Amino acid sequence: MEETLEFARSAHDGKPQLPLALRLIRNTGVQKRHLVQPIEKTLRHPGLTERNRIYEIESKKRCPQVVEQALQNADMTARDIDAIIYVSCTGFLMPSLTAWLINTLGFRSDTRQIPIAQLGCAAGGAAINRAHDFCLAHPGNNVLIVACELCSLCYQPDADDIGSLLSDGLFGDAVAAAVVRGSGGTGIELERNASYLIPHTEDWISYSVRDTGFHFQLDRRVPGTMEPLAPVLREFAKDHSWDIGSLDFYIVHAGGPRILDDLAKFLDVDREVFRHSWATLTEYGNIASAVVLDAARRLFEQDTPRPEATGLIAGFGPGITAEMALGRWGADAPARLGKAA
């Protein structure tokens, strides 16, 4: 945090919006972030070609270790995976990194490739939902999710509007992976998923694509989106005969402190139920699609639910889009018919 504030002061010294930006950065709750490059290099812009080259190098360097850990956690090998969902909004490769992963890490040549590039922070939830759908359509199949978000490669040194300065102090880099099994295993047994788009908000979170790459654009109305989305989440749970305020665990996107505080307020739950999301925000910053996967990791490692405990997974991002899932905690038991874990 202190380094971020100091670099903001030096890079935008004398600009009238700087005091407000510094105050907003202090209020993000982010204490530490991880970057794929030293911050001095991050603050320079070598051009889109070089940045995308770094994205390719770093994604290929960092994804294998989390993929291997995810497979180990699921007690599987690469040969057991039937589809790979790769999500990222911070770089571009064609073919997708899925092709490289298949060729490099021993996945079968008939592994399906499902890259998702334009759902931003909502893509973590979307990946879980599309993996759930795939397992329902192909009983017994298994899906690997990989999220690679190198947000620092989108930093624009000349962007000095409040939204840009705030995002410069909020987003971090991360790579995460998880396995959705078609049957068996220990984890969240997915029961239902849904998507929702708040009408006419597609320009609230967006990229302006220019010669210098992706310019992140954030509308001042974005922090208030939990008020219209909370009733959607409530109705989603109600349709499943669950009470959104009485679940046992909540894995939600940590877009910023107001997002989490407002969601607690409008769902009428204690902010402590989002403790894993708060921890991700504090220790890593907003890591886009990887937030829900890291928050889920914390649930697994620090706060293992009792069998049959009920929970919510929710990702929010451009659109404004919400990707939602409900599930129960299952441990070393065959998945129920029509469910994936």
Side-chain angles (χ1 to χ4, degrees), residues 5-270:
L5 292 169
E6 184 54 40
F7 280 112
R9 290 188 192 99
S10 60
H12 302 285
D13 184 40
K15 295 181 179 178
Q17 66 273 35
L18 182 59
L20 174 58
L22 295 177
R23 188 161 68 250
L24 291 173
I25 292 171
R26 288 190 189 95
N27 291 337
T28 60
V30 179
Q31 294 301 314
K32 181 178 70 173
R33 294 179 294 169
H34 298 262
L35 308 177
V36 292
Q37 300 181 102
I39 196 165
E40 293 81 5
K41 285 189 175 182
T42 299
L43 292 174
R44 295 195 292 269
H45 197 327
L48 178 57
T49 299
E50 176 62 13
R51 279 195 168 173
N52 210 61
R53 188 186 74 85
I54 295 169
Y55 174 85
E56 180 174 2
I57 291 171
E58 294 295 339
S59 60
K60 289 179 176 179
K61 180 168 72 174
R62 297 176 187 276
C63 284
Q65 59 190 347
V66 298
V67 167
E68 290 165 2
Q69 185 63 61
L71 292 171
Q72 181 181 329
N73 290 345
D75 193 25
M76 289 188 169
T77 70
R79 307 294 295 180
D80 298 315
I81 297 298
D82 301 285
I84 300 174
I85 300 177
Y86 178 78
V87 294
S88 179
C89 64
T90 53
F92 182 81
L93 299 176
M94 192 172 73
S96 164
L97 194 75
T98 50
W100 183 86
L101 291 171
I102 290 169
N103 287 326
T104 304
L105 299 185
F107 294 95
R108 306 191 318 266
S109 295
D110 63 351
T111 304
R112 272 80 154 199
Q113 303 176 62
I114 309 174
I116 301 175
Q118 292 155 298
L119 281 178
C121 296
I128 293 169
N129 289 350
R130 300 295 76 78
H132 183 206
D133 293 342
F134 186 92
C135 290
L136 292 178
H138 304 277
N141 278 203
N142 306 302
V143 181
L144 172 71
I145 297 169
V146 183
C148 179
E149 300 292 11
L150 308 184
C151 302
S152 65
L153 296 180
C154 297
Y155 171 70
Q156 299 293 341
D158 296 329
D160 58 4
D161 58 281
I162 290 297
S164 295
L165 293 175
L166 174 60
S167 65
D168 292 345
L170 181 63
F171 287 93
D173 296 349
V175 179
V179 171
V180 177
R181 298 173 54 120
S183 63
T186 296
I188 303 167
E189 295 182 4
L190 300 168
E191 297 191 8
R192 186 186 191 98
N193 74 68
S195 302
Y196 183 81
L197 178 77
I198 301 178
H200 309 300
T201 58
E202 67 268 23
D203 58 345
W204 289 19
I205 300 175
S206 62
Y207 273 164
S208 175
V209 183
R210 306 174 191 170
D211 291 342
T212 48
F214 303 142
H215 289 247
F216 184 69
Q217 299 180 138
L218 186 68
D219 190 278
R220 65 177 62 189
R221 292 169 288 185
V222 168
T225 50
M226 291 304 101
E227 185 170 5
L229 283 180
V232 174
L233 292 169
R234 189 179 302 279
E235 192 65 22
F236 173 56
K238 182 180 177 182
D239 287 345
H240 201 56
S241 300
W242 289 2
D243 176 7
I244 194 68
S246 301
L247 303 180
D248 299 300
F249 60 89
Y250 300 79
I251 303 299
V252 302
H253 176 64
R258 184 175 167 187
I259 295 293
L260 293 176
D261 279 335
D262 276 6
L263 192 57
K265 172 185 174 182
F266 293 117
L267 292 182
D268 195 23
V269 297
D270 192 294

